[in-house]
Amino acid sequence: MTVPPLSSTPEATTNTAMELKPAPVAQLTGPAAERSGTVTQAPDPIAPESTPESTPESTLEPPAEPIARPRRLRRSATLRRMVAETVLTAQDLIYPVFVMEGTGRVEPIPSMPGCDRRSLDQLLEKLQMVRGVGIRAIALFPVIPPAQKDAIGSESHNPNGLVPRAVKAIKAAFPDLLVFTDVALDPYTTHGHDGIVDEAGQILNDETVAVLTQQALAQAAAGADFVAPSDMMDGRVGAIRQALDAAGFWQTGILAYSAKYASAYYGPFRDALDSAPQFGDKKTYQMDPANRREALKEALLDLAEGADVLMVKPALAYLDIIWQLKAQTQLPVAAYNVSGEYAMVKAAAEQGWIDERAIVLETLLGMKRAGADWILTYHAVDAARWLRKQPVV
Ligand code: PBG
């Protein structure tokens, strides 16, 4: 059999084809053998040109220059770890949890298997376990009883409301657990919108911001480490920052949902909170999935208004947005791996159609690789456990 010479001329492409149809083992020597992986020694770039030709078994000419071999860095698990560009750890994860009134209550959320709504006493028990697996941050979402909802979300800034009470209890029990609170009116309004609605059904911006500011103050006063406005009203980050500073809460951070899209992926979350909009949709305040430059515009406004961290939500269909914010700003970027993304993985895993552990770790790693410093995810507890058990090779 004649083997084409290795060279950097156009014929070199035939070598690639040849690799796909390897020659019989007996003929593999010299560079051909190296390509097949049977010889591990690196080619010697300064070897005399005649060496391969002088061996009777081979008709190969030496390469004009060594061919690129990216596979060299993938040879062993140790090497792969040493060249890994991204590492996922439990410290990157923020675990969203749902709190409700009462005692001794735990209600599973059917569309989010493994997640539940809990009264505060039961939530504290769960958080003991959450800390135990190495998670250091939670995002708190309230389930508000229908009797406490009204058109303007008054309960949202009650200093003795469910969220402030929960924050106080959590920080008292676990002072080192970071608590992020959601700033938006949807759990508190009868209509399920994130803001105040006028007679024509329009969401009023500035009137809403005034209420959100009160909500953020109540959360900060209770001891929240970060307030996280998820409402998408214009100017809310600046208004909240000013109000927090004026009240002495200069240490309370703002995690801004900067690029929050009007997404179908929030469905299971709205089931969990009973907060689906009762009319219309959220497209006049949440972003259009078609837009990327607009996400940068929103992020730069939030940055200028005093946001500490920028968030992209959802995550999986918006990895380009995560990367863009990471590349074009200096702030840490968070990604929200939302309820619908979680539900799809859980449903397929329950059918036995995918390997849940591998899929979850690959997905979260992909979000980090795209530029996310933090990931809010309902998979956090499982992921943290799996990351602990990963063999160190
Ligand atoms: C409320 C809020 C929503 C989510 C987080 N905060 C729902 C919405 O905007 O309709 C969704 C989270 C998820 O789907 O996991 N402003």
Side-chain angles (χ1 to χ4, degrees):
M1 169 177 157
T2 51
V3 181
L6 276 176
S7 71
S8 52
T9 60
E11 298 94 272
T13 53
T14 55
N15 291 326
T16 317
M18 189 186 68
E19 255 195 309
L20 298 173
K21 290 183 241 142
V25 172
Q27 294 187 336
L28 287 179
T29 57
E34 281 152 22
R35 270 197 312 283
S36 78
T38 55
V39 171
T40 52
Q41 221 178 349
D44 181 353
I46 55 163
E49 294 224 340
S50 60
T51 309
E53 278 177 348
S54 67
T55 58
E57 312 92 283
S58 172
T59 56
L60 283 175
E61 283 175 16
E65 54 195 59
I67 69 166
R69 296 188 192 282
R71 287 184 55 195
R72 215 178 266 134
L73 297 179
R74 299 180 205 133
R75 277 181 58 218
S76 69
T78 307
L79 205 41
R80 287 192 294 273
R81 286 215 164 208
M82 288 178 78
V83 298
E85 298 169 37
T86 312
V87 179
L88 181 70
T89 74
Q91 275 94 74
D92 307 324
L93 307 177
I94 301 175
Y95 186 49
V97 295
F98 302 103
V99 65
M100 63 181 177
E101 296 285 3
T103 46
R105 295 172 72 193
V106 177
E107 287 179 11
I109 301 163
S111 52
M112 300 174 70
C115 294
D116 46 37
R117 307 182 267 234
R118 290 175 175 243
S119 54
L120 188 49
D121 58 320
Q122 296 298 310
L123 180 60
L124 290 172
E125 257 178 47
K126 182 170 176 171
L127 293 181
Q128 185 80 41
M129 173 278 287
V130 169
R131 271 191 85 259
V133 299
I135 291 170
R136 292 287 177 268
I138 60 157
L140 188 63
F141 294 97
V143 187
I144 301 300
Q148 287 176 12
K149 299 190 186 192
D150 63 21
I152 55 169
S154 311
E155 181 63 17
S156 65
H157 49 91
N158 174 0
N160 301 313
L162 179 57
V163 167
R165 273 184 281 125
V167 172
K168 276 183 208 150
I170 294 167
K171 291 303 291 187
F174 311 106
D176 64 345
L177 190 67
L178 284 178
V179 177
F180 293 73
T181 48
D182 193 61
V183 180
L185 300 188
D186 52 328
Y188 303 93
T189 52
T190 38
H191 46 72
H193 278 286
D194 293 35
I196 297 172
V197 184
D198 71 6
E199 310 81 50
Q202 300 205 72
I203 314 301
L204 300 173
N205 194 88
D206 301 5
E207 292 79 350
T208 299
V209 170
V211 181
L212 296 173
T213 303
Q214 297 306 308
Q215 184 182 19
L217 281 171
Q219 296 170 348
D225 296 285
F226 279 78
V227 294
S230 71
D231 54 282
M232 290 301 278
M233 296 300 124
D234 295 331
R236 89 280 206 214
V237 171
I240 291 171
R241 183 70 271 159
Q242 272 189 358
L244 290 176
D245 287 358
F249 300 119
W250 57 275
Q251 299 204 80
T252 308
I254 299 181
L255 167 63
Y257 285 67
S258 301
K260 177 173 178 179
Y261 286 86
S263 170
Y265 283 100
Y266 308 149
F269 176 95
R270 293 175 187 170
D271 294 345
L273 256 57
D274 237 335
S275 65
Q278 298 304 299
F279 67 89
D281 53 40
K282 299 192 174 187
K283 290 180 184 169
T284 69
Y285 45 108
Q286 299 181 349
M287 280 183 51
D288 183 345
N291 293 355
R292 184 157 44 101
R293 285 179 306 163
E294 192 185 355
L296 185 60
K297 179 170 85 177
E298 285 279 7
L300 293 177
L301 282 170
D302 287 353
L303 191 158
E305 290 176 29
D308 298 286
V309 182
L310 305 172
M311 180 134 79
V312 176
K313 175 187 178 180
L316 209 42
Y318 299 87
L319 295 178
D320 57 329
I321 311 298
I322 296 172
W323 169 242
Q324 176 178 245
L325 297 200
K326 187 53 173 276
Q328 301 202 15
T329 73
Q330 270 71 50
L331 292 191
V333 175
Y336 200 144
N337 175 214
V338 298
S339 57
E341 299 172 48
Y342 176 82
M344 294 193 302
V345 170
K346 295 303 270 192
E350 275 175 17
Q351 295 287 326
W353 292 341
I354 56 169
D355 175 345
E356 182 178 354
R357 177 186 186 280
I359 291 274
V360 168
L361 293 178
E362 182 179 335
T363 303
L364 298 178
L365 187 71
M367 291 168 188
K368 254 205 110 175
R369 190 197 61 239
D373 299 280
W374 298 347
I375 305 169
L376 279 87
T377 179
Y378 306 98
H379 296 292
V381 170
D382 288 335
R385 286 199 179 114
W386 291 326
L387 288 167
R388 284 186 151 197
K389 284 189 201 135
Q390 261 190 349
V392 180
V393 284

